[in-house]
Amino acid sequence: MFYYKLGSIPHKRHTQFRKPDGGLYSEQLFSTEGFSNDYSLLYHCHPPTIITGTDTPVDVTPEVAEERMLKHRSFEGFHVKPVDDYLQSRIPVLVNNDVHISLAAPRKSMEDYFYKNADADEVIFIHEGTGTLHSQYGKVTFEYGDYVVIPRGTIYRLSFNDSANRLFIVESFSPVVPPKRYLSKYGQLLEHSPFCERDIRPPADLETFDEKGDFLIRTKKKGIEYGLHYGHHPFDVVGWDGCCYPYALSIHDFEPITGRVHQPPPVHQTFDAHNFVICSFVPRLYDYHPNAIPAPYNHSNIDSDEVLYYVDGDFMSRKNVTRGMITLHPAGIPHGPHPGAVERSIGAKETKELAVMVDTFHPLKLTKQALEIENEGYVMSWAE
Ligand SMILES: [Fe+2]
């Protein structure tokens, strides 16, 4: 992301930066890839290192129910039950070593703890609900259609404006970045990118909580959740600058790339990560060649599992699609439009579909909870 700053920072990095009482602020370098990638420098009222207690670790590793399979699958995402607590509400459904995909319907804001995912960047797609991500960097407000991107290691707290929330969560074990082909050699989003810096919403409204007490940061690392208690409020930052921070990007600000004939899936790519991509399918005009077929062609995604999360609108190539539905088309067998969809698409001028796609280059495993919300028989739905 681009360089940004909020609050008070010293003129030179790594130099004395003093409080009104003469004491030093505590500088912290924050990066997700050692010292060789984008970073931010944060200035705390107190060192971010003062652990005052630890809880018994809890194993939260997703329970894999099907490790290997070759079958088209479909799941009812909205059958995941609403749960008060945010962390408890997160239900992993499809996982591999690069990415974990979860669904969540949290009813309540996080009030008595903070959360840190030490392993994975998180992309939280807001399907329903509005609220605010609170962090050391300031606040990021979110609403329907936002991707909230949180670098791994970021301490955060979510507050929701009401109890009806539906989230589609992608945990990435590598940095989530814009596709390289859209970036200039120094990192600016280029003219042909479907979104640009103006669409990125960095944190705002930095508040400094110079408070002593018992502050619990529930920290996930390698499938174990550790309760770490700190003696000072983690959001005690008076200022920061750099290129590593949480932000929001709305799917509604993604400008579709269209053509005279059907455009391939990469035109929908929004984010890149190691061994997977995230794509946005948004309302758009259809192909305008006089003999164009707007429905996608059948394709053999021989090297990637395709996960589609249906958000809203009409889904031209599939039948019986519901909001929050997930389809998984695994690598190894071709898939394509349902019977009749190709003919039906001819002459159509536009689509209102809204969907998020995650393509992984290694097979996904199904969790126990995924099987509980599965639509049986989906694999036969092309034969009907
Ligand atoms: Fe596909």
Side-chain angles (χ1 to χ4, degrees):
M1 280 305 113
F2 50 86
Y3 175 81
Y4 201 69
K5 63 180 171 185
L6 276 182
S8 307
I9 54 173
H11 176 63
K12 273 275 176 198
R13 57 188 173 174
H14 322 322
T15 58
Q16 294 174 36
F17 180 36
R18 295 198 177 272
K19 304 175 188 176
D21 69 3
L24 284 168
Y25 286 112
S26 198
E27 186 183 52
Q28 180 190 5
L29 184 142
F30 184 89
S31 170
T32 62
E33 282 192 320
F35 296 94
S36 50
N37 204 349
D38 290 351
Y39 66 94
S40 288
L41 290 171
L42 300 98
Y43 296 89
H44 295 268
C45 294
H46 304 279
T49 48
I50 305 170
I51 292 175
T52 55
T54 57
D55 294 339
T56 308
V58 180
D59 191 342
V60 293
T61 311
E63 244 181 280
V64 172
E66 258 189 76
E67 179 132 12
R68 284 181 285 192
M69 60 96 189
L70 188 57
K71 202 166 109 170
H72 299 312
R73 313 294 280 256
S74 153
F75 311 93
E76 289 295 341
F78 277 19
H79 287 189
V80 161
K81 293 207 168 43
V83 171
D84 282 350
D85 177 65
Y86 170 67
L87 285 184
Q88 266 181 18
S89 78
R90 293 166 48 125
I91 305 297
V93 287
L94 301 168
V95 299
N96 69 16
N97 290 336
D98 304 308
V99 61
H100 287 184
I101 297 171
S102 300
L103 297 163
R107 271 196 296 238
K108 291 194 172 163
S109 301
M110 296 158 70
E111 264 156 25
D112 48 6
Y113 65 89
F114 302 83
Y115 180 57
K116 174 158 99 173
N117 191 330
D119 291 321
D121 283 31
E122 295 193 347
V123 180
I124 303 178
F125 178 78
I126 312 295
H127 194 166
E128 290 186 350
T130 57
T132 305
L133 170 123
H134 302 265
S135 76
Q136 297 178 324
Y137 302 86
K139 299 174 188 168
V140 178
T141 58
F142 56 78
E143 59 181 7
Y144 166 61
D146 280 341
Y147 292 104
V148 181
V149 182
I150 309 168
R152 61 198 142 135
T154 303
I155 300 164
Y156 74 83
R157 181 176 256 180
L158 294 181
S159 59
F160 301 101
N161 296 337
D162 61 53
S163 60
N165 305 291
R166 288 278 173 189
L167 314 175
F168 175 78
I169 302 172
V170 177
E171 284 174 78
S172 169
F173 298 95
S174 59
V176 170
V177 293
K180 209 172 174 186
R181 65 183 179 280
Y182 293 139
L183 294 171
S184 75
K185 63 183 166 183
Y186 297 114
Q188 186 177 11
L189 287 158
L190 292 167
E191 268 292 295
H192 65 294
S193 170
F195 57 93
C196 76
E197 283 79 1
R198 293 184 197 183
D199 301 315
I200 306 287
R201 288 156 28 220
D205 195 15
L206 177 69
E207 281 183 285
T208 308
F209 296 88
D210 184 359
E211 289 173 24
K212 277 189 175 174
D214 176 23
F215 299 94
L216 171 61
I217 302 177
R218 291 168 67 177
T219 303
K220 188 164 79 159
K221 187 173 169 73
K222 300 288 175 208
I224 305 288
E225 191 191 291
Y226 301 90
L228 302 178
H229 295 259
Y230 284 80
H232 293 99
H233 197 297
F235 301 166
D236 67 343
V237 169
V238 294
W240 64 272
D241 74 337
C243 295
C244 187
Y245 49 82
Y247 65 89
L249 167 67
S250 175
I251 196 169
H252 307 301
D253 284 330
F254 183 92
E255 297 302 329
I257 296 170
T258 59
R260 232 161 83 90
V261 295
H262 192 81
Q263 298 295 295
V267 299
H268 305 283
Q269 190 184 352
T270 313
F271 300 108
D272 203 13
H274 182 60
N275 282 337
F276 79 93
V277 299
I278 300 176
C279 302
S280 304
F281 287 80
V282 300
R284 61 195 182 277
L285 296 180
Y286 272 139
D287 325 321
Y288 48 90
H289 185 286
N291 289 325
I293 297 178
Y297 31 74
N298 301 295
H299 48 284
S300 304
N301 41 310
I302 215 73
D303 64 349
S304 73
D305 278 17
E306 284 188 18
V307 175
L308 210 53
Y309 177 73
Y310 297 93
V311 181
D312 266 310
D314 48 347
F315 296 96
M316 150 274 291
S317 59
R318 313 235 153 273
K319 53 191 178 187
N320 304 324
V321 167
T322 56
R323 295 178 73 232
M325 181 185 274
I326 291 177
T327 56
L328 167 62
H329 298 136
I333 40 175
H335 65 273
H338 270 138
V342 172
E343 281 289 1
R344 263 201 318 276
S345 77
I346 291 171
K349 290 283 174 270
E350 61 178 328
T351 173
K352 303 276 190 211
E353 72 181 2
L354 197 64
V356 175
M357 185 167 80
V358 180
D359 278 10
T360 68
F361 299 118
H362 290 294
L364 288 159
K365 303 164 193 173
L366 278 60
T367 66
K368 189 178 126 245
Q369 294 100 320
L371 299 188
E372 288 165 8
I373 56 166
E374 181 164 18
N375 287 313
E376 296 289 340
Y378 176 69
V379 65
M380 312 290 269
S381 61
W382 285 263
E384 287 158 14

